[in-house]
Amino acid sequence: MLTKKIAVLFSGSGSNLQAILDKVHNKVFNSVRIEVALCISNKADAYGIQRAEKYGLETKIIENKNFSSREEFDAALVEEIKKQDIDLVVLAGFMRILTSVFTTQIKAINLHPSILPLFKGAHAIQESFDSDMQVGGVSVHWVSEELDGGKLIAQRAFERKSQMSLDDWANAIHSIEHEILPEAIVKILCNN
């Protein structure tokens, strides 16, 4: 059976890592087994590290604060990823803007908590909530040098309900994220 290996990069709680581990790790789709072969965090205290451990996965810690430039940090990421035979890199709440050192060498997708091209960047949930938009949503896209600007792979929206709080908005986004990211991984690796 063909096995496709993914690397998951994260910076925080790892709830999207959890969704990937629960829904695709060591599971078979169209005769293709998907394995999370590498976890990388740029934060030594990221809760996602504990989530990975529950699946017997060790997380490689590569802290960006230990590098003098973005390019040096990206080169360290690329080196670690290339040690493994990785088919796809998944940015799941990885809070770093990546340079061409990474984007020209690594095939990667990113999860973004808005309907791109609207609300790019780190404050997308707050900005989309504060807007007049009557829908919020999530995008999965290929990683490129342009921040949140790569070719779209999948998007899913939800309607704004009256009296919706910021927490309600964020929870609706996270709920979609936990579905759409595993689905996108399967689509890319198993349906081609």
Side-chain angles (χ1 to χ4, degrees), residues 172-185:
I173 286 171
H174 297 318
S175 175
I176 292 171
E177 286 178 338
H178 299 160
E179 294 172 8
I180 198 171
L181 186 57
E183 287 169 10
I185 293 166

Side-chain angles (χ1 to χ4, degrees), residues 47-114:
Y47 183 69
I49 296 165
Q50 294 174 44
R51 294 181 193 264
E53 281 173 359
K54 288 183 179 146
Y55 278 80
L57 298 171
E58 188 181 326
T59 300
K60 180 77 179 169
I61 311 297
I62 305 175
E63 292 186 284
N64 51 281
K65 68 181 184 185
N66 297 333
F67 295 86
S68 60
S69 71
R70 285 184 189 277
E71 290 78 10
E72 273 185 35
F73 172 68
D74 287 2
L77 288 178
V78 169
E79 183 183 344
E80 194 60 40
I81 292 164
K82 286 194 168 182
K83 284 180 190 173
Q84 313 261 349
D85 191 19
I86 299 295
D87 295 287
L88 181 67
V89 172
V90 180
L91 308 185
F94 189 63
M95 304 307 287
R96 297 293 303 160
I97 296 171
L98 296 163
T99 68
S100 60
V101 171
F102 184 95
T103 60
T104 58
Q105 298 184 72
I106 300 296
K107 179 180 166 184
I109 63 172
N110 183 45
L111 179 68
H112 187 73
S114 79

Side-chain angles (χ1 to χ4, degrees), residues 106-140:
I106 300 296
K107 179 180 166 184
I109 63 172
N110 183 45
L111 179 68
H112 187 73
S114 79
I115 296 294
L116 289 171
L118 301 173
F119 313 112
K120 294 180 178 186
H123 307 290
I125 293 176
Q126 182 74 54
E127 290 172 6
S128 62
F129 176 76
D130 290 342
S131 77
D132 292 336
M133 293 281 293
Q134 293 305 299
V135 293
V138 176
S139 303
V140 179

